[in-house]
Amino acid sequence: MSEFRADLHCHSTCSDGTLTPAEIVRLAFSKGLSGLSITDHDTISAYAEAIPEAKKHNLPLITGVEFSAVQGETSIHLLAYSFPVNAPDITEFCQKHEKRRTDRNLGILEKLAKKGMVILPEELKITEHSHVIGRPHIAFALMKKGLVNSIQQAFQLYIGEGRSCYVPGDKVTVEETLDVIHRAKGLAIIAHPHLIDSPKVLKQLLELEFDGIEGYYGRFQPAQNERWVEIGLKRGWIITGGSDFHGEIKPNLPLGSSWVNEQTFTILQNHFENNTKMMDE
Ligand code: AMP
Ligand code: ZN
Ligand code: FE
Ligand code: FE
């Protein structure tokens, strides 16, 4: 029997990925993955399509989302898992994020236009299915118009934090996000702690009521993951993992390149199934 691997972190066309939710499910199935969660940025709209597709292939799927937040001035990503798919707290919070993003994107486009780089909101899709729009979509549009050579260059020159066309947008705090996730009975996980530079911010996060930490992350070698796994285990947290697959827009992160084992996936799956039952009752 092949090894149990469940990838708990990937993005579909509902945010900044290039595969539709159904295509991700089919890819996970064809790669022989044993479980999956699709964690789009600030939206759970993937699940309308992903749930029936996963059932068709008998692929265990648990709900997930990657929320954007700030701790002080530092951008942080939080993963939420195993909430009921129709949890009102999560749905409302996603709507709030969508409004925040729309206003912020318009602010960024205005700054770019002032520099002579005119992009219309309707030009921001990465694929025809793109739904929740963020800076990667703006970077992609700049690249398509030949205004930058690469997505990285768009961030470096214009839209990266602190650059001339950067707009922070409304801020949502980590604490508010944690509260929403827990009200929806989801599990709250610190996403890719490897990418947090500030020791002060990290220390603050580790004192909050998280349920887990993403110890296994696609871009890092096992030795680099070890530190986060140890930190999580010491707190009795769930150690999650995933590839952060985005499709061809980030070709170096294949689906299944990071994963959790059966024991961890079962904890999340049981939590999800109990929640779903409670909502149905
Ligand atoms: P947003 O949520 O709209 O602020 O966009 C954040 C996303 O942009 C992150 O999740 C990354 O995928 C991507 N990103 C941030 N910084 C860079 C960078 N320097 N180069 C390429 N992608 C980046
Ligand atoms: Zn992304
Ligand atoms: Fe992230
Ligand atoms: Fe991600």
Side-chain angles (χ1 to χ4, degrees):
M1 216 174 76
S2 63
E3 194 183 357
F4 186 105
R5 292 183 175 197
D7 191 333
L8 297 180
H9 189 155
C10 62
H11 298 269
S12 77
T13 47
C14 293
S15 61
D16 56 350
T18 57
L19 296 192
T20 63
E23 284 168 339
I24 293 186
V25 168
R26 289 197 287 273
L27 180 62
F29 177 75
S30 70
K31 280 181 171 246
L33 294 184
S34 317
L36 182 71
S37 183
I38 299 177
T39 51
D40 277 307
H41 297 286
D42 306 324
T43 176
I44 55 166
S45 53
Y47 285 91
E49 182 180 309
I51 289 173
E53 192 66 20
K55 275 202 186 120
K56 227 190 276 177
H57 293 89
N58 223 357
L59 179 76
L61 176 75
I62 58 160
T63 49
V65 57
E66 182 173 22
F67 283 126
S68 317
V70 293
Q71 177 71 18
E73 293 299 311
T74 305
S75 295
I76 297 293
H77 284 174
L78 289 87
L79 289 159
Y81 293 111
S82 303
F83 46 84
V85 71
N86 48 357
D89 287 293
I90 299 277
T91 310
E92 279 162 29
F93 197 53
C94 289
Q95 281 162 358
K96 175 174 160 166
H97 270 291
E98 210 168 314
K99 161 100 175 64
R100 170 186 76 81
R101 282 184 174 277
T102 304
D103 295 347
R104 177 192 189 212
N105 292 341
L106 290 176
I108 296 175
L109 293 188
E110 222 167 87
K111 285 195 168 183
L112 287 169
K114 281 201 182 127
K115 287 187 182 283
M117 294 173 278
V118 177
I119 296 170
L120 304 174
E122 54 269 30
E123 293 175 307
L124 288 180
K125 294 185 165 200
I126 294 175
T127 77
E128 55 174 318
H129 304 283
S130 295
H131 175 54
V132 169
I133 305 290
R135 284 183 294 156
H137 301 77
I138 298 175
F140 190 70
L142 284 167
M143 191 174 76
K144 264 198 310 200
K145 294 207 161 189
L147 296 165
V148 294
N149 297 326
S150 66
I151 287 182
Q152 276 77 7
Q153 197 184 39
F155 277 88
Q156 271 158 17
L157 293 181
Y158 305 117
I159 61 173
E161 234 162 292
R163 307 290 160 174
S164 58
C165 300
Y166 179 72
V167 174
D170 285 349
K171 292 186 172 160
V172 181
T173 65
V174 168
E175 298 215 24
E176 177 185 353
T177 310
L178 265 174
D179 191 44
V180 169
I181 297 170
H182 285 150
R183 268 191 278 137
K185 304 213 171 355
L187 297 166
I189 312 290
I190 302 175
H192 41 60
H194 317 61
L195 308 181
I196 301 170
D197 290 330
S198 159
K200 183 177 138 202
V201 168
L202 183 67
K203 186 166 177 281
Q204 290 169 352
L205 292 181
L206 293 175
E207 282 164 11
L208 297 177
E209 296 289 305
F210 280 96
D211 305 289
I213 188 164
E214 189 177 40
Y216 304 102
Y217 185 59
R219 272 159 55 181
F220 292 88
Q221 296 301 315
Q224 292 168 292
N225 288 329
E226 243 167 63
R227 173 178 176 209
W228 306 108
V229 172
E230 272 175 30
I231 285 177
L233 288 177
K234 229 188 254 168
R235 288 171 171 70
W237 282 355
I238 304 167
I239 315 296
T240 70
S243 60
D244 210 359
F245 173 73
H246 282 72
E248 63 190 321
I249 199 172
K250 291 187 183 174
N252 54 336
L253 299 171
L255 190 71
S257 56
S258 202
W259 68 92
V260 297
N261 63 19
E262 186 166 12
Q263 194 187 356
T264 304
F265 188 72
T266 304
I267 294 172
L268 298 179
Q269 205 182 9
N270 287 344
H271 194 96
F272 177 50
E273 281 168 11
N274 288 338
N275 267 340
T276 307
K277 263 185 231 144
M278 271 167 51
M279 282 290 274
D280 288 346
E281 271 162 16

